[in-house]
Amino acid sequence: IFIVGMIRSGTTLLERMLSGHDEIGPLGEVSVVGRAIDTAIHEGQDLKPTIAGLAKRYEPYQNVAGDVRFTTDKMPNNYLYIGFLRQAFPDCKIILVKRDFRDIAVSAFETYFDSPALNFSYTEAGILNRLKLFENMSSYWEAMGDICTVWYEDLVSEPERVLQSVADYCGFELQPEMTQPQRSTTAIRTASHSQARQPLYASSQKRWQDDVCAQYLPSIVNDADNTSIAWRVAWLNDMQRRSLA
């Protein structure tokens, strides 16, 4: 089960809730897909062998999870590689986590990330460009079908209903423990380590309405338009379509 979405969108919370199921083993954020695909593209390699070998690269991580029916990978940026995931893991399930983009922006901007890949979160322009990339990419694959979309706001307010839809999509039974993420003993190695250990709460919603947010993120809070990055979306999607040929 691949859980994908923007950073600070609720991917950690969802994985923690799913880990309450006794047939699901959480792997956290596995960088296998992005590292393999990006290396192949940058070095001009044939993508087909790389894609064919992804499942083998995952085996060590899945072995650590033990004897479970499902494993989850919550690497958010895997939304960039959904087409490749479908080829490498034909039976995989993909859950797309969405959230009010203004709350994502505020949360990302105020969080310190030490990964160079997340440097975009240091500026309003960087965040807005990434949000547009995500929206274009996710909309494209949602239109293709067979993806379960989960809204963070719904997950927090109606956990049983949302988790039931996820369970139906993935093919497992809903278990009561899944609605109580604070009881999970799964390790958290992301910026959400403190929030995801708490009972479900709604206080992180609509924080973009604070006056200070309008001061530092005016274009996002006011929903102003920005430079289109459709070319990047088209290029990535074309790469994935061609790899199917």
Side-chain angles (χ1 to χ4, degrees):
I1 301 173
F2 291 98
I3 303 172
V4 304
M6 273 291 293
I7 57 171
R8 313 302 292 162
S9 64
T11 55
T12 298
L13 174 61
L14 179 58
E15 183 181 56
R16 195 161 179 82
M17 296 176 83
L18 294 183
S19 72
H21 196 291
D22 56 20
E23 293 183 324
I24 299 177
L27 301 180
E29 297 182 358
V30 182
S31 59
V32 166
V33 174
R35 184 178 299 140
I37 297 298
D38 289 349
T39 298
I41 292 175
H42 292 157
E43 296 181 358
Q45 301 173 9
D46 184 355
L47 282 176
K48 289 184 178 180
T50 299
I51 296 169
L54 284 178
K56 188 70 174 178
R57 295 186 185 214
Y58 258 88
E59 287 183 1
Y61 299 93
Q62 293 176 309
N63 291 339
V64 171
D67 186 19
V68 292
R69 184 180 170 203
F70 299 92
T71 55
T72 57
D73 176 357
K74 62 160 292 287
M75 177 59 76
N77 279 354
N78 277 340
Y79 72 82
L80 293 167
Y81 313 107
I82 291 176
F84 299 130
L85 293 177
R86 293 217 178 281
Q87 297 171 62
F89 307 92
D91 298 323
C92 75
K93 299 298 181 180
I94 298 174
I95 304 174
L96 179 66
V97 182
K98 291 191 169 186
R99 182 184 182 186
D100 187 315
F101 73 92
R102 294 162 296 190
D103 279 330
I104 289 177
V106 171
S107 185
F109 187 69
E110 70 178 8
T111 303
Y112 172 72
F113 297 101
D114 59 5
S115 169
L118 300 178
N119 284 351
F120 69 86
S121 65
Y122 299 159
T123 66
E124 182 185 37
I127 294 173
L128 190 49
N129 277 338
R130 188 57 64 94
L131 284 167
K132 283 179 170 289
L133 170 62
F134 169 72
E135 186 56 37
N136 279 287
M137 289 292 291
S138 61
S139 296
Y140 175 88
W141 290 108
E142 280 181 299
M144 300 288 284
D146 196 26
I147 285 181
C148 178
T149 299
V150 169
W151 280 89
Y152 170 81
E153 291 81 2
D154 294 337
L155 180 63
V156 171
S157 63
E158 301 179 88
E160 289 190 16
R161 179 184 67 79
V162 174
L163 289 174
Q164 184 62 66
S165 68
V166 171
D168 293 342
Y169 167 71
C170 294
F172 57 78
E173 296 294 325
L174 181 67
Q175 295 182 351
E177 293 80 2
M178 298 169 64
T179 63
Q180 303 178 60
Q182 73 276 15
R183 294 189 176 183
S184 174
T185 58
T186 303
I188 303 176
R189 299 181 177 85
T190 70
S192 303
H193 57 86
S194 60
Q195 297 98 322
R197 287 191 172 93
Q198 302 176 36
L200 295 176
Y201 60 92
S203 58
S204 62
Q205 298 179 39
K206 298 187 183 300
R207 293 187 56 233
W208 60 270
Q209 294 179 344
D210 295 343
D211 291 340
V212 69
C213 297
Q215 178 182 351
Y216 291 101
L217 303 169
S219 295
I220 293 176
V221 170
N222 297 322
D223 194 16
D225 193 17
N226 199 51
T227 304
S228 172
I229 53 171
W231 66 269
R232 169 71 172 167
V233 176
W235 179 78
L236 281 166
N237 288 340
D238 183 59
M239 290 289 294
Q240 296 182 73
R241 282 196 299 268
R242 282 192 289 158
S243 68
L244 286 168

